[in-house]
Amino acid sequence: MSDVDLVAEIPSPSWSGFSIGPLTIHAYALCILAGILLALWLTSRRWRARGGHEDDLWNIAIITVPAGIIGGRLYHIFSTPDPYFGPNGNPLDALKIWNGGLGIWGAVALGMLAAWAVARYQGIRILPFLDAAAPGLILAQAVGRWGNWFNQELYGKPTTVPWALEIYERSQGVSTGRVIGTYHPTFLYELLWDVLVVIILLVLDKKLVLGHGRLFASYVALYCLGRFWIELIRDDPATHILGLRVNTWVSGILFIAGLVYAFVERRPR
C-alpha cells in the first residue's frame, strides 16, 4: 500500500469515546443522541406548522424513543444472533448497546406501535403525526451512522477505491493503529443516501402536499431503495435466507409496500 493510496483513503477514528471518572461516554451513544435531538427539533417544527400542539410531540417521544431503542436492539439480536447465542457467542453482550447494533426496522416497528398507543390515548391523529415525523426520522438515521464509523462497524466488502475505509486492528477494544485492510464505507453510503432522502421528502411534502401517511410511506420506500443495494455490498455476519441477507429481503418487501401505499392512498392532507 503506497503513501499515495493512503492519502485518498478514509481513516477510522483511533478512539470511540472518553471517560469522566468511572463513567465512559461512548461516541456511538453521542451520535444516536444527537440524531434523536435533531429529529425532535425538526418534527416539532413540522408538527406545529400543521397545527399540532408541541406537547403532543413530547408526550409521544417520551415513550417512543425508549421503545425505538429497545426495538432496534431486539431486531439486531434476532437478525444476527450468532455473536450472542452462537457457538462462541456471549448472551451478556446483547446488553452492550454501546458496541453498536440497532436494527432500524425494529426501532421503527416498536416505535410506531408505542406512538400509536400514546396517540390513541391522547386523541392525536397518528397518520398526520407520522408524516410530520418522517424527515426527522431519516435525519436521525443519518446522524446515527457516524456512530458506526467510531465503532469501526457496518463496513462492506474489501475494496481499493479511493474512498475506501481503513479498518484498524483492535486489542481489547482499543485500536492498535495497524491497518488490516480497506473496505467499502457502507455506513457513509447510507449516511449520504439518508441526507438525500431528507431533502427529497421535504420537497415532495412542499410540492405535492402529501397526507394520510403518504409521506411516511415515501420515507419507507426511499430508505429501503438505498438500503437494498447497500446490503448487497456489506460483508459483516448476518442471517441469510435463500442466499440473501435478512435485511435485503426486508428492504425489498418494505420498498414495495411503501411504494404501493404512497400511490394507492389519494386523500389530500
Side-chain angles (χ1 to χ4, degrees):
M1 189 178 296
S2 67
D3 292 338
V4 175
D5 292 334
L6 287 173
V7 170
E9 289 158 357
I10 302 172
S12 288
S14 58
W15 66 281
S16 59
F18 56 92
S19 297
I20 302 177
L23 180 64
T24 300
I25 308 297
H26 296 272
Y28 180 83
L30 291 177
C31 292
I32 297 297
L33 178 60
I36 291 172
L37 292 176
L38 280 173
L40 292 174
W41 167 78
L42 182 56
T43 302
S44 176
R45 291 191 58 181
R46 290 173 51 77
W47 183 238
R48 283 187 282 110
R50 282 164 164 72
H53 197 283
E54 188 169 3
D55 287 348
D56 297 339
L57 171 64
W58 301 113
N59 289 337
I60 291 177
I62 198 170
I63 302 298
T64 300
V65 170
I69 293 174
I70 293 171
R73 189 58 173 174
L74 291 175
Y75 180 92
H76 168 74
I77 293 170
F78 288 135
S79 62
T80 313
D82 284 351
Y84 313 103
F85 306 107
N88 299 314
N90 182 359
L92 291 179
D93 286 345
L95 302 176
K96 298 178 181 178
I97 196 171
W98 53 86
N99 288 334
L102 291 176
I104 182 58
W105 292 124
V108 171
L110 195 56
M112 279 184 60
L113 181 61
W116 171 83
V118 176
R120 183 178 176 84
Y121 179 76
Q122 297 282 347
I124 302 167
R125 297 178 63 193
I126 188 60
L127 289 181
F129 183 83
L130 290 178
D131 285 334
L137 283 174
I138 192 71
L139 179 60
Q141 291 171 230
V143 176
R145 282 301 174 219
W146 281 116
N148 303 128
W149 181 54
F150 285 103
N151 276 3
Q152 293 194 57
E153 60 182 357
L154 237 65
Y155 52 87
K157 298 177 181 179
T159 183
T160 56
V161 295
W163 56 87
L165 176 69
E166 292 179 346
I167 296 297
Y168 303 146
E169 178 187 62
R170 300 180 76 84
S171 176
Q172 297 181 343
V174 179
S175 172
T176 65
R178 187 177 77 85
V179 178
I180 61 174
T182 55
Y183 303 82
H184 277 289
T186 48
F187 83 91
L188 181 60
Y189 298 163
E190 186 172 332
L191 186 159
L192 295 175
W193 178 257
D194 290 349
V195 171
L196 178 61
V197 172
V198 173
I199 296 171
I200 293 174
L201 290 178
L202 292 175
V203 172
L204 283 176
D205 198 34
K206 182 177 181 180
K207 299 295 184 180
L208 301 180
V209 196
L210 300 179
H212 291 278
R214 291 178 67 195
L215 193 70
F216 185 83
S218 300
Y219 147 67
V220 171
L222 287 169
Y223 172 71
C224 287
L225 178 63
R227 183 64 182 265
F228 183 88
W229 68 264
I230 291 171
E231 285 292 326
L232 295 178
I233 58 177
R234 282 180 58 177
D235 203 28
D236 51 310
T239 301
H240 287 68
I241 299 176
L242 300 178
L244 292 176
R245 298 163 64 93
V246 168
N247 282 334
T248 307
W249 285 104
V250 173
S251 297
I253 293 169
L254 290 179
F255 166 74
I256 295 172
L259 197 64
V260 168
Y261 184 91
F263 279 97
V264 169
E265 176 58 66
R266 292 294 184 182
R267 288 176 294 175
R269 187 166 72 205

